[in-house]
């Protein structure tokens, strides 16, 4: 079949990407936020629409109006109650707030609606039409058409109406726009409402094609971001063209990406090769262009959470060891397993503390590094290598991947780097971890039981070893923080130009951070493999990555104790086990999402950081001393109150 | 100890104490079956790990059958040795972390065996732990390659991947020369594609094409169009209930002329309602007889579920679940001495054939080479026509007749010829 014909078949895929990307661009233009929950909003609005149309038997028009109203209310509520409060918060806090909304909406969908995939009747005709010799269902063509029409309409509104001009003014200079009498809050609320209505349109049109369930549209996050990125989160027309283009190319690629081939064709044959394309586009575009997210003239410059020097560097590990041993030797095996999963989660979160908390590089690939460690563990342990060798080797291979993944950080920062690392993690998920050929001819993923000096480690023994490894790693990370490396890391984090002027080799520093953090994450993944005796490739998804960074952030991503909080909240960890014991595990997503939303507002720097701040204030009140040198906690106290030039 | 450290120690201690108390305490999150039939002895606990809350596949009906058949065993059959049977089901949501959690919690609660495991995540994520714990699974619906090879897994039917070889034999026996297969982009899916390729060559097929799909893809039209462009005579779609309607619609939209076959998990009312006339003519591989079949087993099945689970929609999945529960009952009843996980394993390892309930009987001597734990590889091929299933006939199987076992008016097809 001709390439063109196959490309046309991708209009359905492309239409999905295009429609969702329009909402992303709208929200970014109005408020500068990367909305990871766009797919989830589309999903919940679709559920509402089809419940009204098919459940309550309302007319299509009536159901559409009510669903649109729901989207408007949801958008306004989310902006006014959450995002507006986070305007002065670190950029990562705003990303995490949208992740929290994603979890909350998924959880609500599973509780309120039938979670099984449904295929509702389309709102537009779906009979096949013949186009250049192939049959394409009409609804795909209509979908693409709607995306184009919406893009044109939004572009016209943006250029020709006062509201559109106001949005552009706010984007260029928030302070200037405020001085002119424009309300950033009003504009923000409007763009979120419109963005969510666009998501609703996408959800209603896509559900008959993609299926309607709690996960369907949320999983399109990477290709949708790719389309918006190509449009620089600015141009509606380019976003739609990019979305349609990506879908068409992905479809056309199926002509060459066969299911099997000789080993030297593995780059383009095998599972997930065509799905990895949008992620590859993101990475290449970022590396070559250096920056695709336009700068915004915000009043408050984005910053990262504080990273105070760790206290109790001696007492902390001792307490942790004592508490851990007490736990290990007193609980039932199911709780012991949950405890080991928690410890492995702490390791992975420590890697996030290293690279994001200390050095300020927002990496969403930590779980992918862990997955690499897990995969190597399955291969090496099956080859008969001992536990003590497999653990560091797995970490080393993950470290190599970390070095590669760190290369884009030399060109991009902040949310741009977040997108690049997320794309790298996505490629690992769809094209590496699920490729059975990489696990040996049988796709075998078992991990031999760990043994120390010839003695097989039982559940308790392995738990003790894991506890010791995690405590040692945590202590080392804490020691790094107060070392010269740590001080230089904070310097790089706060102001790269100043750090470079002070003689720090920024490039080597960043690469070292990625490499070291990937090593730690790789060891965490290896421990997970030994705990389950299997490389569970489905555990190492981009959503797990987002989950880890969110939990680490809430705990305090600049602090070792933040990693502890993330471990507790790991999938299959102690918190999950507690919910299962109470019979409340079906509420896990709702609880996690709701708690994250609250926590990110109450503790925008993380809970551990809030405790640190309270302790500092108490300390100052109880012993008012003459002005001392500014504390070494990573806060940028030299930053002026006036808005500064937007930083890359 | 300094006053600064004391609050932190207290907090850590309190947290540990809370977790220890929770960890030492009893209680489980799994659903337990009611209906002990008035039997007084110590209950015999069985566990069942099911994917229920998942977009792609829901086994809520299997949980219902677990409880109903346990009530039947207790109320009508007198339990096992006078002791009631209790089945604790755990929904793993198709999540790798949760499936391990389900297993660990069930082991802690003292189950002597698992029964009817029907999970998307179990085989790839928790099976090694089940083996390490020395617990067997009886019956159920295997999904991954490891479940077909594990010496601790004893399915009474071929399960998901085990259905497709029977379909391949049917297609070969009805004259197909080129077969196309679409499987999910997972390691298990890839093994399905490769195994069917080898089998198709053995069956004398001259053309084979395989492709993968992402079950979460927004549109299946490109995948099905790719298959259509290969002009196969027959197509096997290794697709589950969640994605089946969209797959069938894509088949219809692309005008794919070949015969299409799927496993029975995609043969539910939800799929037929969603797919509409796109489901017409699809061939299904069932491990069990139709619910309305005229036989003593089928009557027992209908009567038990009418009594203990009225209103339950009877599907291929509920039939396999009932068969598995009966298999568990027969196995546990045959255990000599104390009923422990070790004695259950030993009884199953004796390798005695089982006559089956609604299913073909097992024959341990004739397990397929690549699926050594599947001792019943036989399927019935039924076609969906005008709202019901009709047997798909084979006029002249030729040299493939050795794959077919005629019992009464049923033609059971296996994916491998019997060894004896």
């Amino acid at each position: 079949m001709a390439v063109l014909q196959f490309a046309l078949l991708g209009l359905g895929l492309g239409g999905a990407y295009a429609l969702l990307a329009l909402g992303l661009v709208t929200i970014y233009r109005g408020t500068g936020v990367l909305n990871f929950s766009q797919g989830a909003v589309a999903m919940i609005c679709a559920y509402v629409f089809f419940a009204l149309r098919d459940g309550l038997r309302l007319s299509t028009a009536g159901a559409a109006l009510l669903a649109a109203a729901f989207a408007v209310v949801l958008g306004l509520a989310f902006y006014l109650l959450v995002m507006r409060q986070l305007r002065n918060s670190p950029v990562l806090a705003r990303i995490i707030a949208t992740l929290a909304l994603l979890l909350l909406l998924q959880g609500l969908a599973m509780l309120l609606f039938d979670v099984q995939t449904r295929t509702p009747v389309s709102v537009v005709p779906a009979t096949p039409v013949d186009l250049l010799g192939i049959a394409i269902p009409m609804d795909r063509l209509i979908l693409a058409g709607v995306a184009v029409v919406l893009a044109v309409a939004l572009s016209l509104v943006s250029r020709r109406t006062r509201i559109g001009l106001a949005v552009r003014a706010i984007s260029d200079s928030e302070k200037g726009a405020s001085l002119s009498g424009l309300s950033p809050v009003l504009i923000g609320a409007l763009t979120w409402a419109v963005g969510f209505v666009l998501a609703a349109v996408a959800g209603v049109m896509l559900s008959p094609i993609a299926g309607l369930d709690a996960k369907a549209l949320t999983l399109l996050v990477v290709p949708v971001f790719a389309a918006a990125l190509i449009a620089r989160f600015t141009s509606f027309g380019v976003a739609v063209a990019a979305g349609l283009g990506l879908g068409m190319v992905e479809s056309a690629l199926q002509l060459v990406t066969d299911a099997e081939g000789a080993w030297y064709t593995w780059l383009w044959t095998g599972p997930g090769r065509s799905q990895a394309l949008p992620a590859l586009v993101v990475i290449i575009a970022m590396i070559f262009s250096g920056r695709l997210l336009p700068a915004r003239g915000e009043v408050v410059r984005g910053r990262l959470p504080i990273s105070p020097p760790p206290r109790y560097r001696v007492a902390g590990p001792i307490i942790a060891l004592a508490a851990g041993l007490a736990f290990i030797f007193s609980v039932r095996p199911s709780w012991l397993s949950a405890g080991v999963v928690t410890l492995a989660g702490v390791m992975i979160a420590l890697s996030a503390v290293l690279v994001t908390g200390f050095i300020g590089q927002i990496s969403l690939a930590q779980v992918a590094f862990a997955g690499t460690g897990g995969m190597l563990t399955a291969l090496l342990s099956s080859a008969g290598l001992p536990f003590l060798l497999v653990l560091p080797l797995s970490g080393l291979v993950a470290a190599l991947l970390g070095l590669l993944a760190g290369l884009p950080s030399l060109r991009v920062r902040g949310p741009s780097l977040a997108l690049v690392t997320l794309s790298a993690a996505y490629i690992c998920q769809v094209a590496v971890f699920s490729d059975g050929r990489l696990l040996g001819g049988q796709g075998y993923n078992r991990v031999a039981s760990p043994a120390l000096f010839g003695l097989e480690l039982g559940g308790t023994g392995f738990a003790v070893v894991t506890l010791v490894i995690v405590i040692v790693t945590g202590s080392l990370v804490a020691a790094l923080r107060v070392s010269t490396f740590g001080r230089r890391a904070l310097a790089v984090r706060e102001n790269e130009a100043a750090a470079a002027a002070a003689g720090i080799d920024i490039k080597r520093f960043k690469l070292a951070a990625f490499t070291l953090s990937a090593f730690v994450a790789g060891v965490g993944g290896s421990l997970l493999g030994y705990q389950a005796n299997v490389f569970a490739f489905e555990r190492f998804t981009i959503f797990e990555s987002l989950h880890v960074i969110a939990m680490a952030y809430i705990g305090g991503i600049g602090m070792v104790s933040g990693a502890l909080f993330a471990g507790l909240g790991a999938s299959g960890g102690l918190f999950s086990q507690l919910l299962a014991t109470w019979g409340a595990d079906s509420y896990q997503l709702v609880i996690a999402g709701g708690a994250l939303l609250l926590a990110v507002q109450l503790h925008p720097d993380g809970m551990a950081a809030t405790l640190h701040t309270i302790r500092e204030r108490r300390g100052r009140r109880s012993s008012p001393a003459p002005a001392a040198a500014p504390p070494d906690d990573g806060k940028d106290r030299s930053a002026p109150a006036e808005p500064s030039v937007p930083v890359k | 100890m300094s006053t600064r450290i004391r609050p932190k120690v207290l907090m850590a201690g309190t947290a540990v104490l809370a977790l220890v108390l929770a960890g030492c305490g009893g209680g489980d999150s799994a659903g337990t079956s009611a209906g002990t039939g008035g039997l007084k002895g110590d209950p015999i606990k069985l566990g069942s790990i099911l994917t229920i809350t998942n977009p792609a596949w829901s086994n809520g009906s299997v949980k219902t059958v677990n409880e109903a058949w346990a009530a039947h065993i207790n109320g009508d059959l007198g339990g096992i040795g006078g002791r009631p049977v209790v089945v604790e089901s755990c929904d793993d949501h198709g999540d790798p972390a949760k499936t391990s959690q389900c297993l660990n919690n069930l082991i802690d609660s003292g189950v002597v065996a698992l029964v009817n495991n029907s999970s998307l995540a179990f085989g790839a994520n928790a099976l090694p732990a089940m083996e390490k714990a020395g617990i067997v699974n009886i019956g159920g619906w295997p999904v991954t390659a490891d479940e077909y090879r594990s010496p601790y897994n004893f399915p009474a039917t071929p399960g998901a991947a085990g259905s497709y070889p029977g379909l391949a034999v049917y297609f070969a026996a009805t004259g197909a020369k080129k077969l196309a297969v679409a499987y999910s982009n997972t390691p298990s899916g890839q093994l399905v594609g490769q195994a069917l390729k080898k089998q198709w060559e053995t069956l004398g097929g001259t053309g084979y094409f395989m492709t993968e799909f992402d079950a979460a893809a927004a549109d299946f039209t490109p995948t099905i169009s790719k298959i259509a462009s290969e002009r196969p005579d027959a197509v096997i779609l290794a697709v589950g209930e969640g994605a089946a309607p969209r797959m069938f619609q894509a088949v219809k939209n692309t005008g794919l002329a070949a015969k299409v076959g799927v496993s029975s998990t995609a043969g539910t009312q939800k799929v037929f309602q969603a797919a509409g006339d796109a489901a017409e003519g699809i061939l299904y591989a069932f491990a069990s007889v139709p619910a309305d079949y005229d036989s003593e087993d089928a009557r027992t099945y209908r009567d038990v579920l009418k009594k203990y689970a009225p209103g339950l929609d009877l599907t291929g999945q509920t039939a396999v679940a009932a068969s598995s529960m009966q298999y568990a009952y027969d196995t546990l009843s045959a255990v000599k001495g104390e009923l422990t996980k070790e004695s259950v394993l030993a009884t199953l390892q004796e390798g005695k054939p089982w006559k089956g309930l609604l299913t073909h009987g097992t024959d341990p001597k004739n397990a397929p080479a690549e699926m050594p734990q599947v001792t019943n590889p036989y399927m019935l091929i039924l076609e969906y026509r005008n709202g019901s299933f009709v047997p798909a006939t084979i006029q002249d199987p030729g040299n493939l007749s050795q794959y077919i076992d005629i019992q009464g008016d049923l033609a059971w097809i296996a994916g491998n010829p019997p060894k004896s």
Side-chain angles (χ1 to χ4, degrees):
Chain A
M1 187 179 278
V3 171
L4 178 60
Q5 288 173 316
F6 234 88
L8 286 173
L9 286 171
L11 279 175
L13 265 177
Y17 301 160
L19 270 182
L20 288 168
L22 277 179
L24 270 189
V25 170
T26 303
I27 289 171
Y28 188 84
R29 282 172 61 122
T31 54
V33 174
L34 296 177
N35 180 23
F36 282 80
S37 66
Q38 192 72 4
V41 172
M43 174 270 298
I44 200 83
C45 292
Y47 265 117
V48 168
F49 172 83
F50 289 108
L52 291 169
R53 189 193 72 170
D54 302 337
L56 296 181
R57 304 270 179 229
L58 290 186
S59 67
T60 300
L65 271 173
L66 286 173
F70 171 79
V72 167
V73 168
L74 185 64
L76 289 175
F78 186 64
Y79 175 72
L80 294 171
L81 297 176
V82 179
M83 298 311 296
R84 184 173 161 228
Q85 319 306 324
L86 296 175
R87 282 175 65 239
N88 300 335
S89 299
V91 65
L92 199 48
R94 287 178 267 164
I95 289 176
I96 281 163
T98 66
L99 290 177
L101 182 65
L102 186 161
L103 292 176
L104 187 62
L105 292 178
Q106 274 193 330
L108 283 173
M110 287 165 72
L111 286 176
L112 299 174
F113 303 103
D114 180 4
V115 75
Q116 255 209 301
T117 306
R118 293 166 48 196
T119 311
V121 174
S122 178
V123 294
V124 296
T127 45
V129 295
D130 190 273
L131 199 65
L132 295 180
I134 51 159
I136 300 181
M138 199 187 301
D139 56 355
R140 273 66 163 176
L141 299 174
I142 296 174
L143 182 68
V146 165
V148 170
V149 166
L150 281 174
V152 169
L154 287 166
S155 297
L156 286 173
V157 165
S158 169
R159 285 178 218 276
R160 304 280 169 86
T161 66
R162 290 184 69 178
I163 287 174
L165 289 171
V167 171
R168 284 165 66 188
I170 297 252
S171 171
D172 290 339
S173 170
E174 205 171 291
K175 185 173 186 190
S178 299
L179 290 171
S180 307
L182 291 172
S183 165
V185 173
L186 193 63
I187 299 297
L190 185 66
T191 50
W192 276 88
V194 170
F196 277 26
V197 169
L198 288 169
V201 171
V204 168
M205 295 209 67
L206 284 169
S207 294
I209 299 170
L212 177 60
D213 61 62
K215 293 187 179 177
L217 300 176
T218 60
L219 294 174
L220 299 181
V221 60
V222 169
V224 171
F225 268 102
L229 204 58
I230 292 170
R232 301 199 58 190
F233 280 83
T234 310
S235 166
F236 298 111
V238 175
V240 165
L244 291 174
L246 278 172
M248 292 168 77
V249 171
E250 204 178 308
S251 175
L253 268 183
Q254 294 204 29
L255 281 172
V256 295
T257 55
D258 286 329
E260 55 174 359
W263 64 269
Y264 47 84
T265 65
W266 282 10
L267 206 55
W268 60 88
T269 61
R273 298 314 191 251
S274 56
Q275 291 151 261
L277 169 75
L280 208 54
V281 165
V282 168
I283 294 172
I284 293 171
M286 280 295 197
I287 289 174
F288 282 102
S289 83
R291 186 203 174 90
L292 279 175
L293 284 174
R296 291 180 57 84
E298 290 172 322
V299 172
V300 178
R301 204 183 93 192
R303 60 175 179 83
L304 282 160
I306 62 171
S307 176
R311 298 158 73 99
Y312 317 123
R313 283 178 48 220
V314 174
I318 294 172
I319 294 168
L321 183 66
L325 288 173
F327 180 83
I328 287 169
F329 286 101
S330 54
V331 298
R332 298 165 79 180
S334 55
W335 280 88
L336 188 62
S337 293
V340 173
V341 170
T342 291
L343 288 171
V346 170
M347 281 294 281
I348 299 171
L350 278 172
S351 73
V353 167
L354 262 173
V355 73
T356 304
F358 291 175
I359 312 229
Q361 307 303 301
I362 304 180
S363 168
L364 299 182
Q366 300 313 106
V367 169
F369 300 143
T372 305
M375 196 169 182
L376 254 300
T377 297
L379 282 168
L380 297 176
S381 73
S382 298
L385 267 63
F387 170 66
L388 282 180
L389 198 53
V390 171
L391 215 55
L393 277 178
S394 303
L396 273 172
V397 175
L400 281 174
L401 181 67
L403 181 64
L404 263 178
L407 289 172
S409 70
L410 306 181
R411 290 274 281 163
V412 295
R413 298 172 190 76
S416 304
L417 182 61
L419 285 177
V420 169
T421 52
L422 186 70
S423 302
Y426 186 70
I427 291 173
C428 286
Q429 175 186 332
V430 301
V432 177
F433 297 154
S434 59
D435 193 339
R437 299 171 301 180
L438 298 175
L439 285 164
Q442 293 297 310
Y444 209 62
N445 61 347
R446 295 242 179 166
V447 174
S449 291
L452 260 187
F453 311 116
L455 286 171
E456 188 173 304
L457 289 172
T460 309
F462 181 67
V464 171
V465 168
T466 305
L467 178 69
V468 168
I469 291 173
V470 172
I471 288 175
V472 166
T473 308
S475 302
L476 288 174
V477 171
L480 260 181
R481 168 62 187 84
V482 297
S483 67
T484 309
F485 177 93
R487 283 190 289 278
R488 288 180 177 183
L490 290 182
V492 169
R493 193 184 97 144
E494 290 307 315
N495 192 322
E496 285 187 22
I504 297 173
D505 186 337
I506 305 293
K507 287 182 184 173
R508 281 176 71 174
F509 219 83
K510 285 184 178 182
L511 291 178
F514 266 93
T515 307
L516 192 57
S517 82
F519 177 86
V520 171
V523 170
S526 182
L527 289 171
L528 271 177
Y530 275 113
Q531 184 271 330
N533 292 120
V534 76
F535 169 55
F537 69 93
E538 288 158 318
R539 284 185 97 139
F540 303 100
T541 64
I542 55 170
F543 287 103
E544 282 300 319
S545 251
L546 295 170
H547 183 76
V548 162
I549 205 95
M551 299 300 281
Y553 187 88
I554 295 304
I557 203 164
M559 307 168 73
V560 171
S561 40
L564 178 59
F565 185 82
L568 287 169
S571 301
L574 288 170
F575 179 61
S576 170
Q577 175 69 8
L578 199 62
L579 283 181
T581 306
W582 290 340
D585 45 344
S586 40
Y587 298 96
Q588 185 167 354
L589 282 178
V590 170
I591 293 172
L596 270 177
L597 273 181
L598 275 175
V600 83
Q601 292 191 76
L602 297 174
H603 311 284
D605 281 316
M607 292 195 300
T610 302
L611 286 174
H612 168 82
T613 308
I614 292 170
R615 267 198 304 267
E616 265 202 329
R617 282 195 201 135
R618 277 197 192 145
R620 270 187 247 130
R621 262 189 249 132
S622 60
S623 51
D632 173 25
D633 61 4
K635 271 191 195 166
D636 181 5
R637 290 184 170 75
S638 64
E642 290 293 305
S644 53
V645 172
V647 175
K648 273 191 182 179
Chain B
M1 186 182 288
S2 101
T3 51
R4 282 191 206 161
I5 296 174
R6 201 174 292 155
K8 195 140 183 149
V9 172
L10 271 176
M11 275 171 53
T14 308
V16 168
L17 187 61
L19 286 169
V20 166
L21 284 174
C24 291
D28 53 74
S29 68
T32 57
S33 62
T36 52
L39 297 171
K40 298 281 186 245
D42 263 345
I44 297 168
K45 283 190 184 175
L46 301 175
S48 187
I49 299 179
L50 307 171
T51 294
I52 298 177
T53 316
N54 183 280
W57 199 28
S58 174
N59 284 300
S61 60
V62 174
K63 182 180 173 200
T64 306
V65 171
N66 284 347
E67 292 167 4
W69 213 266
H72 161 61
I73 290 170
N74 298 332
D76 304 329
L77 304 179
I80 295 176
R83 294 167 65 190
V85 168
V86 164
V87 182
E88 296 184 15
S89 301
C90 187
D91 177 8
D92 70 1
H93 300 254
D95 176 77
K98 187 93 184 101
T99 203
S100 298
Q101 192 177 68
C102 277
L103 175 69
N104 292 330
N105 286 334
L106 285 171
I107 292 173
D108 268 2
S109 75
V111 299
V112 298
L114 301 178
V115 64
N116 250 329
N117 273 4
S118 305
S119 158
L120 286 173
F122 183 80
N125 300 291
L127 186 64
M130 181 186 95
E131 293 172 355
K132 209 168 171 179
I135 299 239
V136 303
N137 170 59
I138 305 173
W141 192 253
V143 170
T144 62
D146 270 2
E147 287 171 278
Y148 290 105
R149 292 193 284 250
S150 169
Y152 288 77
N153 202 38
F154 297 88
T157 58
S163 306
Y164 306 126
L167 268 172
V169 169
Y170 171 83
F171 286 135
T174 50
K177 288 296 171 200
K178 186 169 184 182
L179 176 68
V181 174
Y183 53 83
S184 64
N185 57 350
T186 59
S188 286
Q190 291 150 37
L191 287 175
V192 164
Q194 285 154 13
L196 283 174
K197 182 179 181 183
K198 268 196 250 174
Q199 187 203 13
W200 192 246
E201 286 164 12
T202 311
L203 293 172
T206 54
Y208 184 83
F209 173 76
M210 63 183 189
T211 188
E212 54 124 21
F213 65 87
D214 177 9
D219 192 355
F220 291 133
T221 309
T223 302
I224 299 298
S225 296
K226 191 173 177 187
I227 289 176
S229 70
E230 294 290 327
R231 299 192 203 289
D233 302 312
V235 177
I236 293 178
L237 299 177
V239 67
E241 188 184 12
R246 293 184 294 129
M247 274 282 185
F248 296 165
Q249 283 169 351
V251 167
K252 185 182 166 204
N253 290 336
T254 55
L256 178 61
K259 283 301 235 182
V260 175
V262 296
S263 84
S264 62
T265 52
T268 64
Q269 282 305 315
K270 267 192 179 157
V271 170
F272 301 141
Q273 280 160 13
D277 58 2
E280 281 294 307
I282 301 285
L283 293 161
Y284 287 85
F286 275 85
S288 59
V289 301
D292 55 1
Y293 190 63
D294 184 21
S295 72
E296 190 185 332
D297 281 355
R299 278 192 291 278
T300 302
Y301 165 63
R302 290 193 297 268
D303 292 343
V304 168
L305 290 181
K306 191 174 172 185
K307 182 177 177 183
Y308 294 105
L312 178 68
D313 189 21
L314 302 185
T315 62
Q317 210 63 20
T318 58
V320 167
S323 174
S324 299
M325 280 298 294
Q326 188 63 32
Y327 185 29
Y329 170 75
D330 290 341
T331 301
L332 296 176
S333 298
V335 170
K336 298 181 182 64
E338 197 187 343
L339 208 59
T340 61
K341 57 183 185 180
E342 291 82 7
S343 61
V344 174
L345 173 65
T347 303
L348 284 161
Q349 283 177 335
E350 285 172 15
K352 292 188 179 138
W354 180 61
K355 62 180 174 60
L357 177 87
L358 307 169
T359 59
H360 193 281
T362 67
D363 184 2
K365 292 193 189 66
N366 285 311
E370 293 196 357
M371 299 179 177
Q373 289 302 107
V374 175
T375 53
N376 166 23
Y378 287 93
M379 310 295 289
L380 289 172
I381 309 299
L382 306 175
E383 187 173 342
Y384 185 70
R385 282 239 166 265
N386 299 319
S388 62
F389 290 104
V390 296
T393 52
I394 303 172
Q395 297 296 338
D396 178 16
N399 63 339
L400 296 180
S401 57
Q402 55 182 326
Y403 290 79
I404 302 169
D405 181 23
I406 308 282
Q407 292 182 0
D409 56 351
L410 296 173
W412 295 94
I413 303 177
N416 56 291
K419 287 179 190 142
S420 53

